[in-house]
Amino acid sequence: THLLSLADARAGKIPLRWTEYTPVKPAMLGTKIFDDYPLGELVSYIDWTPFFMAWELPGRYPEILTYKHLGDQAKKLFEDANTLLDRIVKDGLLHARAVFGIFRANTVGDDIELFSDDSRKTVMATLRHLRQQKEKLPGKSSACLSDFVAPKESGVADYMGAFAVTAGFGLDEFAAECQKRHDDYTSIMAKALADRLAEALAERMHERVRKEFWGYADKERMGKDALLKEEYAGIRPAPGYPACPDHTEKGTLWRLLDVEKSIGLRLTESFAMTPTAAVSGWYFAHPESYYFGVGKIGRDQVEDYARRKGMTVAEVERWLAPNLHYEPKTQGLVTGDVRYRTSGTSQNSAVQL
């Protein structure tokens, strides 16, 4: 695969016409916490297809229930899941919590700056993003998530959001009870359902943000199938996934929303979320925003990103190992590498929260 230089990739950014776009001013700015979201409201938002995949039954729901060879097994599993789900909702065996925020935002290069007030002078957080470098066919852009937020120099007052949700509180206690009864099946089922409920909460929160708290899609009327196919305006990419593969950006998200204090959801040193039945990410509202994979990146972008993040090149190479288009000179964490520093607040530690 041939890579473009970072400069050429940036020259090929997504060409959105900011002079013709007026962002919707959010109905609410700042953060909002839901301490115990009603589980019953989430059931209809569950996407069951990944549930069957977790049990190694490949196929789309609801068609999988009628498959010739897997149908009976899928039906039994689905019945058991719904029996336990009814009990989880009725007895409050799991607790769902959410926090989200909507902020004033503009981009500077490949980064997004979030501002504390309408003067847009005080930066409360800077989100670092990566750009596609793979050579594209003529007319195709080299995408970066920052392309979906208005550049600072455009003078357009834009916005973006962040969220973290979990449905995993209570799961460890319930799983422990199952273990005491040697009931591994119910324990595994509960974990699978907690994951589905967390994803359902992410879906429901995003819907409420679009229609109610931000309101950029307040006329949206969409059935469940359209929701699951993501036919709505805007995207919610998650740090660690293809469009923003750097897990360490969760640290910025956690500071921004004060996630651990707000809902008790923690990050481990490797930036895994705990409880594990959790989803976090960013809200982009631009109607032309879409999901993509950053793919392979070159040493020039790694060095530039390390400088912007205030990390060593070796640290960035470790976190972005699957995306490197070259063999790093060193493996793992190495001392003595050049440490880039950013002006202002230091973010030198990859695991600083």
Side-chain angles (χ1 to χ4, degrees):
T1 308
H2 181 66
L3 292 195
L4 299 169
S5 70
L6 180 57
D8 285 346
R10 284 173 170 162
K13 67 183 286 188
I14 300 169
L16 299 180
R17 296 179 293 281
W18 294 107
T19 53
E20 300 168 23
Y21 176 69
T22 305
V24 173
K25 185 170 183 180
M28 181 210 98
L29 283 165
T31 59
K32 188 169 182 64
I33 298 165
F34 292 89
D35 187 51
D36 200 357
Y37 204 89
L39 292 175
E41 192 180 306
L42 305 179
V43 173
S44 65
Y45 289 82
I46 290 176
D47 181 359
W48 285 101
T49 298
F51 170 82
F52 290 106
M53 290 171 73
W55 290 88
E56 298 183 353
L57 294 178
R60 290 193 66 80
Y61 172 82
E63 291 84 0
I64 191 171
L65 301 178
T66 59
Y67 283 4
K68 188 175 179 183
H69 298 295
L70 294 177
D72 289 345
Q73 193 180 350
K75 264 190 243 171
K76 173 73 169 70
L77 195 65
F78 190 56
E79 284 168 12
D80 291 348
N82 277 283
T83 299
L84 180 57
L85 185 58
D86 289 345
R87 191 178 152 206
I88 285 169
V89 173
K90 181 170 168 284
D91 297 343
L93 297 177
L94 299 178
H95 296 280
R97 295 176 187 165
V99 58
F100 73 86
I102 306 169
F103 308 96
R104 303 161 187 87
N106 284 110
T107 62
V108 176
D110 291 347
D111 296 333
I112 302 171
E113 292 183 348
L114 305 182
F115 307 103
S116 57
D117 58 42
D118 283 337
S119 72
R120 296 182 179 246
K121 287 186 176 145
T122 306
V123 177
M124 59 195 294
T126 304
L127 318 180
R128 314 289 181 183
H129 288 295
L130 293 158
R131 184 172 294 282
Q132 292 176 324
Q133 282 187 270
K134 181 183 174 184
E135 193 169 36
K136 299 287 191 78
L137 294 169
K140 297 287 185 183
S141 302
S142 299
C144 176
L145 285 174
S146 63
D147 293 348
F148 302 131
V149 175
K152 208 178 208 177
E153 66 269 19
S154 71
V156 174
D158 211 347
Y159 306 89
M160 73 168 287
F163 72 95
V165 305
T166 177
F169 288 103
L171 179 62
D172 286 348
E173 294 82 352
F174 181 69
E177 281 177 30
C178 294
Q179 295 295 332
K180 276 185 200 166
R181 298 193 306 270
H182 306 290
D183 185 358
D184 290 343
Y185 178 65
T186 303
S187 175
I188 294 166
M189 179 72 76
K191 288 171 185 171
L193 288 174
D195 286 340
R196 290 299 89 220
L197 285 166
E199 293 284 355
L201 180 54
E203 195 69 75
R204 176 61 176 142
M205 272 293 106
H206 194 190
E207 181 183 51
R208 291 191 67 183
V209 165
R210 293 192 305 273
K211 295 166 72 169
E212 183 182 342
F213 300 114
W214 192 331
Y216 69 83
D218 57 351
K219 305 284 192 297
E220 177 184 296
R221 298 289 178 271
M222 204 167 281
K224 183 184 171 185
D225 286 349
L227 270 181
L228 296 181
K229 289 176 185 169
E230 296 168 344
E231 291 176 3
Y232 44 74
I235 57 173
R236 57 166 192 274
Y241 282 78
C244 40
D246 180 8
H247 282 278
T248 73
E249 283 294 289
K250 285 184 206 150
T252 304
L253 195 156
W254 252 244
R255 287 189 296 273
L256 178 66
L257 298 179
D258 204 358
V259 174
E260 187 169 345
K261 186 178 173 191
S262 298
I263 60 170
L265 185 61
R266 294 184 295 111
L267 287 179
T268 68
E269 279 199 2
S270 60
F271 289 93
M273 295 176 283
T274 179
T276 56
V279 187
S280 62
W282 311 112
Y283 292 138
F284 290 86
H286 197 286
E288 292 179 58
S289 60
Y290 60 87
Y291 294 102
F292 60 88
V294 166
K296 296 295 183 182
I297 59 175
R299 194 187 300 271
D300 56 350
Q301 181 159 202
V302 169
E303 290 174 353
D304 181 87
Y305 191 70
R307 177 184 56 74
R308 285 152 50 207
K309 287 274 289 186
M311 290 165 68
T312 65
V313 169
E315 283 172 317
V316 171
E317 286 174 340
R318 183 166 73 96
W319 286 106
L320 294 177
N323 294 85
L324 300 182
H325 191 253
Y326 62 94
E327 284 294 324
K329 291 175 186 170
T330 51
Q331 297 295 323
L333 278 175
V334 173
T335 56
D337 200 346
V338 178
R339 183 176 287 281
Y340 294 100
R341 293 189 182 274
T342 52
S343 59
T345 306
S346 170
Q347 293 186 334
N348 286 338
S349 170
V351 293
Q352 178 188 350
L353 300 183

